[in-house]
Amino acid sequence: MVGLNFLATAALLAQGALASPAPVAKRGEGIHLLNCRPFGGAGVSQTWISIVVYCANDSDCSSLGYSPPANNVCVKGTSTSSEHYHTWEGSSQSCTFPTGVTFSWNIPSSAQSQPNYSSVGSGSNGYRSFAGFKDDHVNGLSYNYHSCEKIYYYI
Ligand SMILES: *[C@@H]1O[C@H](CO)[C@@H](O)[C@H](O)[C@H]1NC(C)=O
Ligand SMILES: *[C@@H]1O[C@H](CO)[C@@H](O)[C@H](O)[C@H]1NC(C)=O
């Protein structure tokens, strides 16, 4: 029993050490959940969109100036009023890309109150499971005359 108690204490200490998570290295393929505001300008539709983006090379998804091809973008929500973005959290959700691939996730309601890069559970594209994290709200890619802020990512 002493041994078990020691292990339980060690596990608690290890969790404490993870209280300030660092960004997890992004390699290989990744999926990003982003909120995007319109650039503005005459003749450009003023819609606020929430999108799911697949990047075969995940670092592309964090590059300002990168614009993903339409087949790698799934539009989850649109709004004509400012800042009424899709609510990503609190239920089992999914989005089907133009390719027919569906990505699904289930983010806890409290996720936005957690530190950057905290775990938010797993996601799946039907082929494999991805580990999900809260992202840092920094601007990432752009899409269709929108500038996109990174909300969550899966690798
Ligand atoms: C992924 O993109 C980064 C940054 O553009 C580049 O340095 C790296 O070589 C790319 N990796 C692959 C496997 O294409
Ligand atoms: C997340 O990172 C961004 C960019 O560095 C920072 O502005 C923000 O305060 C951070 N949020 C939390 C909850 O730590």
Side-chain angles (χ1 to χ4, degrees):
M1 286 310 286
V2 170
L4 285 176
N5 281 335
F6 171 76
L7 285 177
T9 305
L12 283 172
L13 287 172
Q15 282 177 1
L18 294 174
S20 299
V24 175
K26 301 178 183 183
R27 276 172 287 149
E29 58 181 359
I31 291 137
H32 289 248
L33 279 44
L34 307 115
N35 289 337
C36 312
R37 59 183 176 280
F39 288 163
V44 177
S45 82
Q46 298 296 296
T47 56
W48 282 254
I49 58 176
S50 294
I51 62 175
V52 181
V53 176
Y54 171 78
C55 281
N57 182 349
D58 187 65
S59 58
D60 290 342
C61 267
S62 295
S63 308
L64 283 174
Y66 177 71
S67 199
N71 267 351
N72 291 351
V73 178
C74 183
V75 178
K76 184 60 183 167
T78 62
S79 173
T80 52
S81 62
S82 67
E83 310 303 325
H84 287 140
Y85 290 120
H86 173 69
T87 300
W88 296 106
E89 308 84 6
S91 61
S92 183
Q93 302 182 9
S94 65
C95 201
T96 300
F97 289 81
T99 56
V101 172
T102 297
F103 186 69
S104 54
W105 63 89
N106 191 346
I107 300 171
S109 306
S110 61
Q112 278 303 307
S113 64
Q114 302 302 310
N116 288 335
Y117 320 122
S118 296
S119 171
V120 296
S122 63
S124 176
N125 62 357
Y127 298 98
R128 74 168 178 94
S129 180
F130 291 75
F133 302 91
K134 182 196 171 194
D135 216 334
D136 55 18
H137 286 253
V138 169
N139 281 340
L141 49 81
S142 62
Y143 175 68
N144 196 17
Y145 301 102
H146 290 75
S147 175
C148 300
E149 195 176 295
K150 300 181 290 178
I151 314 298
Y152 297 102
Y153 68 98
Y154 291 82
I155 52 176

